């Protein structure tokens, strides 16, 4: 009877142990599977963090932009380089060889190894004709820029549009006026019945025209100007035209509204040099001027900006002269004196126009000189802000240094010109400057913005020696 009972207990215990061991093994397998999955995710996340930490140091230091340079300082760029780096990091994270005496005291419970790491999507700074670059630039400054500047800029743009300040008097019309006056220049006209009474017709703006021919820069600044020149052939704008840049496949940001454009321009003014505010030696010293003009040399870009400001100021000054009754009377009196009250009355309107444009031009030279010396000039002048007398203007005495301190500074006029520049063109030229500057630094001669990844989508395959397979997909952006 006792033996039967013992046999009964033995069978019972055997059955219980079988169930317990089965449950135990299932729990161990579940723990291994879930633990392996967690380790695979952790290894992938750590690998991605390591990849994102490989941002380009010079790009961050000079332009406050985070991006992965997929060339890693080599002449060859592309996804394969970043995939190789990611694969190496994941392998390192999965390895147990850094554990003390791992080969003798430790057995890998998960047995994981990386099969592949693929970049299924990338966001490149140059994507969308530079839309990603603009968006990241906006992110860099949007918390620091006062929006009152945008309100002022909108007001300036409205004044320019209403008064047509960007549309100056056509050069053909100016030449026509000068040529008609020149026909009579130096000739003597009898102005009374007395044969000995003659008057000589002279071009009242002749001395001013001689000044104009000296060139705008010689009239507005005595500073030693930068003679830097860049070769744009290998820069991003030219490569974009040739269709030889890399493209990403992630969603593009929407940054084409007025506020975004304003913030982008403020970023450029903060991180790029311009005349009067040069921080360091760059490929070009007058970088903002390059963004607006697009010529290869500092001198040409600055000359173009000076001419453009002069044209805008000349139009604004001419508008003021037309509206001011006292100055109109001065102009009419001078024209009548030149032509003779009865000698050539048909010439008086032409001489009036020549004097008005000459006076406006002389005042514009003073304005540009003021801006170049760090002063300010109001967009539309009044009696108090007008500087040159008619006599000083017509005699070409333009030696006064600008001392105005109210109105718009040179930087503000650059803001206006940037707002009038095509956004895609402004962005492409800005990326030119970034590439050109970074290439001047050590070990970056092959730097390309279209090799800089701003965001990644990855798919990582990891297997276990116990038969598990995991596919981890993640997305990361700066």
């Amino acid at each position: 009877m006792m033996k039967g009972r013992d046999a009964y207990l033995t069978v019972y215990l055997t059955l219980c142990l079988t169930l317990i061991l089965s449950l135990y093994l299932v729990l161990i397998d579940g723990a291994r599977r879930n633990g392996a999955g967690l380790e695979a995710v952790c290894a992938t996340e750590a690998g991605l963090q390591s990849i994102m930490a490989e941002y380009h140091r010079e790009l961050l230091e000079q332009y406050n932009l985070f991006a992965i340079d997929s060339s890693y300082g080599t002449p060859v760029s592309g996804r394969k380089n970043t995939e190789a780096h990611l694969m190496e990091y994941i392998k390192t994270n999965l390895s147990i060889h850094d554990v003390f005496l791992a080969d003798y005291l430790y057995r890998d419970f998960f047995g994981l190894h990386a099969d592949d790491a693929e970049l299924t999507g990338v966001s490149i700074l140059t994507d969308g004709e530079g839309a990603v670059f603009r968006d990241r630039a906006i992110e860099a400054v949007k918390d620091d820029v006062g929006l009152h500047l945008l309100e002022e800029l909108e007001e300036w743009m409205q004044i320019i549009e209403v008064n047509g300040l960007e549309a100056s008097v056509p050069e053909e019309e100016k030449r026509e006026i000068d040529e008609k006056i020149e026909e009579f220049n130096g000739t003597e006209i009898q102005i009374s019945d007395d044969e000995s009474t003659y008057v000589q017709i002279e071009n009242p703006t002749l001395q001013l025209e001689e000044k104009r021919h000296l060139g705008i820069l010689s009239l507005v600044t005595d500073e030693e100007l930068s003679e830097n020149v860049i070769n744009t052939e290998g820069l991003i704008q030219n490569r974009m035209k040739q269709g030889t840049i890399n493209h990403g496949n992630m969603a593009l940001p929407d940054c084409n509204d007025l506020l975004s454009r304003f913030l982008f321009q403020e970023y450029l003014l903060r991180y790029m040099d311009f005349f009067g505010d040069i921080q360091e030696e760059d490929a070009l010293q007058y970088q903002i001027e390059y963004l607006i003009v697009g010529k290869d040399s500092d001198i040409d870009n600055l000359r173009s900006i000076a001419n453009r400001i002069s044209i805008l100021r000349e139009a604004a000054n001419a508008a003021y002269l037309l509206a001011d009754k006292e100055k109109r009377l001065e102009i009419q009196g001078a024209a009548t004196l030149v032509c003779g009250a009865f000698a050539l009355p048909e010439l008086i309107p032409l001489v009036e126009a020549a004097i008005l444009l000459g006076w406006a031009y002389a005042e514009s030279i003073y304005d540009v000189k003021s801006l170049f010396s760090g002063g300010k000039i109001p967009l539309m002048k009044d009696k108090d802000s007008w500087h040159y007398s008619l006599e000083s203007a017509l005699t070409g005495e333009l030696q006064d240094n600008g001392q105005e301190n109210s109105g718009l500074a040179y930087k503000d006029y650059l803001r206006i010109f940037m707002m009038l520049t095509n956004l895609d063109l402004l962005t492409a030229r800005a990326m030119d400057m970034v590439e050109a500057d970074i290439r001047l630094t050590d070990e970056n001669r092959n730097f390309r913005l279209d090799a800089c990844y701003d965001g990644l989508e990855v798919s990582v395959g990891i297997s276990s020696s116990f038969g598990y397979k995991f596919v981890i997909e993640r997305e990361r952006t700066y």
Side-chain angles (χ1 to χ4, degrees):
M1 187 70 180
M2 197 67 184
K3 288 182 179 180
R5 182 177 297 176
D6 290 342
Y8 173 78
L9 290 173
T10 300
V11 172
Y12 177 77
L13 287 174
T14 300
L15 292 173
C16 287
L17 286 174
T18 300
L19 293 173
I20 292 171
L21 285 174
S22 298
L23 176 62
Y24 178 71
L25 292 174
V26 168
L27 291 175
I28 290 177
D29 184 69
R32 174 181 280 129
R33 179 187 295 275
N34 291 328
L38 178 61
E39 183 176 0
V41 170
C42 290
T44 301
E45 293 279 0
L48 267 177
Q49 292 296 331
S50 299
I51 286 293
M52 301 302 283
E54 292 182 320
Y55 54 84
H56 197 280
R57 299 303 190 264
E58 283 292 339
L59 188 61
L60 176 64
E61 182 177 337
Q62 292 195 41
Y63 291 101
N64 197 20
L65 297 176
F66 285 93
I68 303 164
D69 180 8
S70 63
S71 72
Y72 299 93
T74 67
V76 180
S77 62
R79 300 188 186 191
K80 294 297 182 184
N81 292 343
T82 305
E83 289 173 349
H85 277 235
L86 178 59
M87 190 70 169
E88 186 62 31
Y89 285 128
I90 294 174
K91 285 181 177 180
T92 300
N93 292 329
L94 294 175
S95 173
I96 63 170
H97 293 302
D98 58 344
V99 179
F100 181 67
L101 296 177
D103 293 335
Y104 303 100
L105 303 179
Y106 183 79
R107 183 185 174 203
D108 189 354
F109 184 64
F110 301 125
L112 294 177
H113 58 272
D115 296 328
D116 59 76
E118 180 185 1
L119 267 62
T120 57
V122 295
S123 173
I124 304 176
L125 285 180
T126 55
D127 282 349
E129 303 295 321
V132 176
F133 173 78
R134 282 200 305 273
D135 186 65
R136 298 306 173 257
I138 291 167
E139 290 289 330
V141 298
K142 70 177 183 181
D143 294 330
D144 303 326
V145 177
L147 294 184
H148 68 281
L149 274 174
L150 175 58
E151 296 175 358
E152 292 180 355
L153 183 57
E154 287 182 296
E155 182 180 344
W156 300 336
M157 298 300 296
Q158 186 176 9
I159 292 173
I160 289 174
E161 183 178 355
V162 169
N163 293 277
L165 301 186
E166 272 284 285
S168 64
V169 177
E171 288 299 321
E172 295 79 6
E173 185 175 337
K174 292 181 181 179
R175 282 198 298 270
E176 184 179 350
I177 293 173
D178 291 337
E179 288 171 1
K180 288 183 178 180
I181 296 175
E182 195 64 28
E183 292 178 6
F184 298 91
N185 189 42
T187 61
E188 290 186 344
I189 304 296
Q190 186 176 356
I191 61 172
S192 73
D193 293 335
D194 185 353
E195 294 183 0
S196 64
T197 306
Y198 290 87
V199 64
Q200 188 179 60
I201 305 298
E202 294 182 354
N203 185 345
T205 63
L206 183 61
Q207 291 175 294
L208 192 58
E209 289 301 317
E210 291 176 353
K211 290 285 187 180
R212 191 193 295 262
H213 293 318
L214 295 176
I216 185 70
L217 290 181
S218 64
L219 295 175
V220 299
T221 183
D222 296 325
E223 289 187 28
E224 183 177 349
L225 302 177
S226 168
E227 297 182 356
N228 287 15
V229 178
I230 60 170
N231 180 7
T232 59
E233 184 177 347
L235 296 180
I236 184 67
Q237 184 180 187
N238 192 51
R239 300 201 310 274
M240 288 169 68
K241 291 178 181 177
Q242 296 175 354
T244 58
I245 67 169
N246 300 313
H247 294 280
N249 56 349
M250 293 176 67
L252 296 175
D254 182 13
C255 51
N256 292 318
D257 58 285
L258 180 61
L259 176 59
S260 296
R261 177 172 185 137
F262 166 72
L263 291 172
F264 177 57
Q265 292 183 185
E266 291 306 304
Y267 167 85
L268 298 176
L269 285 167
R270 178 172 298 186
Y271 289 99
M272 293 189 180
D273 294 341
F274 51 90
F275 180 81
D277 187 17
I278 298 173
Q279 305 296 329
E280 57 187 34
E281 186 67 29
D282 293 315
L284 288 179
Q285 297 293 284
Y286 312 142
Q287 296 179 310
I288 298 296
E289 288 82 351
Y290 170 77
L291 305 188
I292 299 167
V293 179
K295 296 184 179 179
D296 295 346
S297 74
D298 273 333
I299 288 288
D300 289 341
N301 288 319
L302 186 63
R303 182 184 295 111
S304 180
I305 290 294
N307 277 318
R308 192 167 177 183
I309 294 177
S310 176
I311 290 171
L312 187 150
R313 294 302 321 145
E314 185 177 353
N317 294 334
Y320 168 70
L321 290 175
L322 285 169
D324 188 283
K325 292 182 179 180
E326 291 183 8
K327 288 184 169 50
R328 282 298 303 274
L329 288 174
E330 283 189 66
I331 293 170
Q332 291 171 1
T336 301
L337 182 63
V338 169
C339 299
F342 305 100
L344 293 169
E346 72 278 6
L347 197 58
I348 291 178
L350 290 175
V351 175
E352 283 186 20
I355 292 174
L356 186 145
L357 293 175
W359 199 359
Y361 172 74
E363 188 73 8
S364 75
I365 294 300
Y366 171 79
D367 295 344
V368 179
K369 189 180 297 186
S370 293
L371 295 172
F372 273 36
S373 62
K376 296 181 178 180
I377 295 293
L379 200 53
M380 299 300 294
K381 286 197 169 186
D382 55 24
K383 185 176 182 179
D384 295 331
S385 57
W386 192 266
H387 180 72
Y388 280 129
S389 66
L390 179 57
E391 181 182 359
S392 296
L394 294 183
T395 56
E397 297 177 3
L398 310 179
Q399 301 304 315
D400 294 356
N401 291 320
Q403 300 294 332
E404 300 297 328
N405 291 308
S406 62
L408 281 66
Y410 178 70
K411 188 175 183 179
D412 297 322
Y413 281 88
L414 292 180
R415 284 187 171 101
I416 292 172
F417 293 150
M418 281 197 288
M419 190 62 75
L420 294 170
T421 304
N422 178 273
L423 182 59
D424 287 339
L425 192 57
L426 190 72
T427 305
R429 290 170 179 169
M431 293 191 293
D432 273 356
M433 282 293 89
V434 173
E435 281 196 346
D437 283 349
I438 299 296
R439 288 178 183 182
L440 293 178
T441 60
D442 294 338
E443 300 180 0
N444 286 303
R445 61 181 300 180
N446 299 306
F447 178 80
R448 294 168 51 127
L449 272 178
D450 60 319
C452 290
Y453 297 160
D454 163 79
L456 304 173
E457 291 177 352
V458 302
S459 177
V460 177
I462 295 177
S463 299
S464 167
S465 56
F466 297 97
Y468 314 132
K469 289 185 179 295
F470 306 96
V471 176
I472 299 102
E473 296 179 347
R474 292 291 183 271
E475 178 181 336
R476 289 288 183 276
T477 59
Y478 285 111

